[in-house]
Amino acid sequence: MPQTPHPRVRRFLAVLLTAVAAATAWAAWLRRDRGYGVRADGTTTGPYEPWQVAGLVLTLLVSVVWSAARGHVVGAVAGTTAGLTVAAYLDWSDDATGLFAVGVALVMLGTLAATTVVAVVVHAVRRHEGHPAA
């Protein structure tokens, strides 16, 4: 009979897997097209298209829901937040103005808030339905 990992190992793996999933999703959705577009009136758009951001959010939603439904609320929140924060930092850190740090901080705070709400709601629904945390 296979042994289940120690609870600390399971928690660490939940954080690690969601962090890797978040960083990979960032790379898959946002690293493709980073150019700015110029409209006829001279305003610029970009660097990301709405469909890219929507794809990233939906991909992350799957990862957070999956992890939280298995009882890894902290892993879903901490891992996703860490993964996106690191990915944003690596992607934007070549900005000479230093303003990228504001963007990275906003990514971190927004991800922390959104994943906390989603993970807590999913976990509460699972518990209410009588599904024990795995």
Side-chain angles (χ1 to χ4, degrees):
M1 173 154 76
Q3 275 189 330
T4 59
H6 189 275
R8 286 185 183 170
V9 173
R10 291 182 69 195
R11 285 191 295 267
F12 173 75
L13 288 175
V15 172
L16 181 64
L17 290 175
T18 55
V20 168
T24 301
W26 178 284
W29 287 105
L30 301 184
R31 290 288 296 174
R32 296 176 189 205
D33 178 20
R34 296 181 54 206
Y36 288 87
V38 179
R39 294 184 179 143
D41 64 359
T43 60
T44 57
T45 64
Y48 309 117
E49 296 294 328
W51 64 266
Q52 290 175 290
V53 177
L56 173 64
V57 169
L58 291 174
T59 303
L60 294 174
L61 186 61
V62 170
S63 174
V64 171
V65 168
W66 185 85
S67 185
R70 280 149 185 77
H72 301 293
V73 174
V74 173
V77 173
T80 303
T81 301
L84 277 189
T85 302
V86 169
Y89 177 83
L90 294 174
D91 197 13
W92 298 340
S93 63
D94 61 348
D95 174 36
T97 67
L99 289 176
F100 76 93
V102 174
V104 171
L106 291 173
V107 165
M108 181 186 69
L109 293 173
T111 304
L112 181 64
T115 56
T116 298
V117 170
V118 170
V120 167
V121 168
V122 168
H123 186 64
V125 167
R126 291 284 291 179
R127 290 187 66 173
H128 180 70
E129 291 176 349
H131 297 286

